Amino acid sequence: MKPIDHKKVLAERLSARFGRRTVLKGLGAGILTAATAGAPSLVRAQQSGHIKIASIKVIDTLDPHFTGFLSSIQIINNIHNGLLKIAYDGKNVTFEPDLAESWDIEDDKVHVFKLRDGVKFHDGTPCDAEAVKFSLLRVKEGEPKSPHAWKLALLDNIEVVDPLTVKLTFSQPYAFLPVALNGSTGRAGTIVSPAAVQKYGADYGRNPVGTGPFKFVSWKENDAIELEANPDYFEPGLPKLERATFVLMNEASTALAALMSGQIDGMTDCPMQLVDQVEAFPNANLYGEIEGNYTFVGMNCKRGPFDDVNLRRAVAWALDRDTLVKQAYFGRAQKAYTPISPPMTDFFDPDIASSGRGQWYDLEKAKSFRAKAANQGEVEAVYMMAERGPVGTRVAQTVAPMLAEIGIKAKLELVEPATWVKRRNASDFDLYDFEWVADLDPDETLYPEFKSDGAWNFGGWVNTDFDDLCAQAQVELDPAARRALYNKAEDLLMDEAGMADFEHELMSIDDAWRKDTTDAVAAQLRDAGINVKRTILPGSTFWNDWSKYPFSSTN
């Protein structure tokens, strides 16, 4: 049997995922080279304009190594850079150079990154190989432990070859590497100022210092987060804007009123119940489409009553997905059978509805599992909910009567969004619902959320066979083989109802923007050769590219 050339497979797999501005030079000799390498001296942008954006979701921290909230990442992406970055052309997600100028693969486990010369953090300190090493070690083994540490678990050694070259050695070939090392949804590859971390310590998240197009100015609680242009940003001619203000608004209706009156230029999220109003408003554009997401009802497997697998199974089969999509999402979602979502084309099964895999509504099956549960009396459970996310409390209100049909009395408890986050993170709940978004790979869809000791396994479901399957998939380079492993892992999760999965949002992160802002931006993007459609930059993961372009603002 002919041995597999893992180096070749890895190189081809990585090369296939890079964007149009990337120069590919084959195996082991410049797999990735930035388009700006060797370019003329940086042209400084003439910054002007002030964009005001309503942020209506919880922002926990601006420390990229410790957040899992897209609302935070929307701001973090403008302050920091990663070794790589995500690019989207209207059809495909790819990876492109960011702080890395080139990427060489010495063998299937050794990766050498050459950094851009002359890049400095906003505090004036150099962004060099030592800074990269500091950031990666902070994620991998720092204290307190980063929730993104799992992404670098296979990283065995970091060698500073010279001030601008860093060599990473992994224990095995790593299929998830491009996602792990980008500065957006990966977070593990986001580079922070060592001097700032040492200066601010645990308060770094309120005093972030990166290399990005915007510098952090201030964070006024319950008011706004202010950013200003970085005049020394390394991308020629960027940023175009002088200032950006994220106005912290808890009430989406208040944000929409501000959008319509021209007090703000955009909203980073538009709850489903307001979508029709935005679409009817002639001076606004709505952006969004299905992306890497799923929404589920979480159950606390660590304690009663949901430490009973049959009770969890009863919940999973009692959820009427059609009703949830209609009532909670106003039809702007599609039923989910498993967590892996449609944009993951190598892994998603478009025929999953007829495959017999996953979870779906079957009340009789739910009742049969309920009959096997240890507690045959009425079960009372607290359902923690908050006015957060695109649907607020509507999922909980829709689910409660469904649970009543199988003898579970759900006590709906409304809490403030910040309290909701703290209690979820502390596993202080019986039931809750949540949406994981902006996933690019099944590994981040499944592993940290449901691994036995995963950073985001708040429900505490434990299955070591699931852990092993995901670990095998991390180092499997063949997409078909990875898919088979993830299918087996999903089957275990769905069978034991580690959660009850029910939908993929069609407009997961609806961005609402004033037309006088977006029309000018769209023109700039078209000039740059980027396909501009209604679905431009789906999800706020990619929104920050907007802030690099000029626009006509009413503010």
Side-chain angles (χ1 to χ4, degrees), residues 140 195 431 536:
K140 179 178 173 59
L431 295 162
I536 185 174

Side-chain angles (χ1 to χ4, degrees), residues 32-51:
L32 180 152
T33 303
T36 54
S41 59
L42 184 146
V43 178
R44 291 186 182 275
Q46 296 298 314
Q47 288 94 16
S48 64
H50 178 196
I51 194 168

Side-chain angles (χ1 to χ4, degrees), residues 53-60 71 206 219-225 246-258 264 267-271 273-274 386-393 414-421:
I53 308 136
S55 182
I56 60 177
K57 284 187 176 181
V58 173
I59 297 172
D60 58 342
S71 50
R206 291 287 180 132
W219 182 344
K220 296 179 182 178
E221 198 71 34
N222 299 318
D223 183 7
I225 294 174
F246 290 82
V247 184
L248 306 179
M249 294 184 172
N250 292 329
E251 294 293 334
S253 57
T254 303
L256 181 57
I264 60 172
M267 299 163 59
T268 60
D269 182 79
C270 183
Q273 72 270 23
L274 300 180
E387 289 295 349
R388 48 156 300 281
V391 296
T393 62
L414 180 64
V415 298
E416 291 296 319
T419 301
W420 184 96
V421 172

Side-chain angles (χ1 to χ4, degrees), residues 263-410:
Q263 297 176 56
I264 60 172
D265 298 295
M267 299 163 59
T268 60
D269 182 79
C270 183
M272 297 295 178
Q273 72 270 23
L274 300 180
V275 168
D276 289 344
Q277 294 182 54
V278 175
E279 289 187 322
F281 181 53
N283 294 325
N285 287 330
L286 187 71
Y287 299 90
E289 65 174 294
I290 195 164
E291 42 101 339
N293 70 68
Y294 63 97
T295 303
F296 63 95
V297 172
M299 296 166 274
N300 195 331
C301 306
K302 300 177 181 180
R303 69 188 192 194
F306 295 111
D307 55 354
D308 184 335
V309 65
N310 285 310
L311 192 63
R312 297 199 306 270
R313 287 167 171 159
V315 171
W317 292 94
L319 300 186
D320 185 341
R321 275 76 176 173
D322 288 324
T323 299
L324 277 163
V325 167
K326 181 179 179 180
Q327 294 187 3
Y329 291 87
F330 299 91
R332 298 176 186 273
Q334 71 179 58
K335 290 186 292 185
Y337 295 81
T338 70
I340 292 177
S341 51
M344 300 178 193
T345 52
D346 283 343
F347 307 98
F348 179 75
D349 179 4
D351 299 317
I352 193 167
S354 59
S355 70
R357 294 186 58 243
Q359 300 170 345
W360 58 91
Y361 176 55
D362 187 331
L363 186 56
E364 292 306 312
K365 192 169 185 177
K367 289 180 178 179
S368 70
F369 281 124
R370 182 68 178 88
K372 298 176 183 178
N375 186 347
Q376 287 301 300
E378 184 179 68
V379 172
E380 293 190 359
V382 175
Y383 195 128
M384 182 180 68
M385 61 182 189
E387 289 295 349
R388 48 156 300 281
V391 296
T393 62
R394 285 196 305 280
V395 168
Q397 294 174 17
T398 307
V399 165
M402 298 177 185
L403 299 183
E405 292 193 63
I406 55 170
I408 298 176
K409 183 179 180 180

Side-chain angles (χ1 to χ4, degrees), residues 127-202:
C127 180
D128 55 16
E130 289 289 353
V132 170
K133 181 177 181 178
F134 174 90
S135 290
L136 296 181
L137 286 178
R138 184 175 186 248
V139 173
K140 179 178 173 59
E141 57 190 39
E143 290 293 338
K145 185 177 180 179
S146 167
H148 304 286
W150 65 274
K151 298 172 184 175
L152 299 179
L154 299 180
L155 179 59
D156 274 356
N157 187 58
I158 306 173
E159 178 186 351
V160 173
V161 178
D162 62 47
L164 292 178
T165 307
V166 62
K167 179 186 290 188
L168 308 183
T169 302
F170 292 82
S171 59
Q172 300 182 64
Y174 191 24
F176 188 68
L177 184 64
V179 181
L181 292 184
N182 82 76
S184 186
T185 66
R187 269 91 75 190
T190 308
I191 308 305
V192 300
S193 164
V197 171
Q198 292 161 5
K199 177 180 179 180
Y200 296 110

